[in-house]
Amino acid sequence: MSTLVANRKSVLPSRFAWLMGMHGENYHRLDRLFAPQRLATGYYFSSVDDHLDVRLQVIEHHAYTIDIEMTYCIRDPESGGLVPSARIRMYRDARVAEVLHYHSDQRLERALGPLPPARTVFERRVRKSSFLNRWLEYLAEQGHSIGTLEQAPSVATGSIQALA
């Protein structure tokens, strides 16, 4: 026997609730993958058979947040930056992870075509969160994990940039 729902809004989450759910999923994926809350500040590298090494930088631990940056060790020939890269804030108390900023490869954007400009702050946040969600899923499928992370030796930041 099927039941009709009189009020569709009572079944579907609001756009904000959906976005917060994605932030929560990103937190749990990141937690399972690299467990940044257990890592000391510094640089970590993860290397698996795909030859796409991941660099994770735990920037700062605060009482309720952790700031991290994650990137592949690949330089974009046009910009000179590491791509793709994401600056992420994990909220320990709320168990959500928000992408503060991300940068993708210009060649990839040209190949796929440019994304239409986000019209609202909400659309930008959805795009950033979706980017992180797909990337974390891909990294897990490739075999990256807390077990593949190795802490970089204590060296100057310039030397770390040279390693990448």
Side-chain angles (χ1 to χ4, degrees):
M1 181 173 170
S2 64
T3 306
L4 293 176
V5 177
N7 184 358
R8 191 180 117 204
K9 288 187 177 190
S10 66
V11 176
L12 298 176
S14 70
R15 294 179 335 149
F16 179 75
W18 180 80
L19 178 60
M20 290 298 104
M22 186 175 284
H23 286 342
E25 186 176 333
N26 286 341
Y27 178 92
H28 292 292
R29 282 183 192 258
L30 196 52
D31 179 44
R32 281 190 310 269
L33 199 58
F34 295 126
Q37 65 276 19
R38 296 190 319 202
L39 301 173
T41 58
Y43 290 90
Y44 298 84
F45 292 91
S46 176
S47 183
V48 296
D49 292 337
D50 66 356
H51 303 290
L52 293 172
D53 295 346
V54 174
R55 184 182 83 180
L56 180 75
Q57 179 188 8
V58 179
I59 300 167
E60 246 179 320
H61 284 274
H62 299 285
Y64 299 104
T65 63
I66 305 164
D67 288 344
I68 63 174
E69 186 168 15
M70 191 170 68
T71 185
Y72 279 126
C73 296
I74 301 171
R75 291 228 178 259
D76 181 5
E78 293 181 15
S79 71
L82 297 172
V83 289
S85 65
R87 178 85 183 254
I88 305 160
R89 179 164 292 150
M90 294 180 72
Y91 296 87
R92 297 177 202 218
D93 54 347
R95 299 203 186 289
V96 295
E98 178 182 17
V99 179
L100 303 175
H101 175 74
Y102 78 99
H103 177 71
S104 62
D105 187 88
Q106 298 298 322
R107 294 170 296 173
L108 179 63
E109 287 183 15
R110 278 197 307 270
L112 297 176
L115 291 170
R119 294 182 307 239
T120 64
V121 171
F122 178 81
E123 285 180 9
R124 283 192 293 277
R125 288 184 175 174
V126 166
R127 186 172 294 160
K128 290 188 289 189
S129 191
S130 297
F131 163 79
L132 179 61
N133 195 281
R134 289 190 311 260
W135 193 16
L136 291 172
E137 182 178 18
Y138 177 78
L139 291 175
E141 288 171 358
Q142 297 306 307
H144 291 280
S145 71
I146 186 73
T148 62
L149 273 183
E150 293 183 21
Q151 188 168 16
S154 240
V155 293
T157 304
S159 300
I160 290 291
Q161 294 296 334
L163 289 172

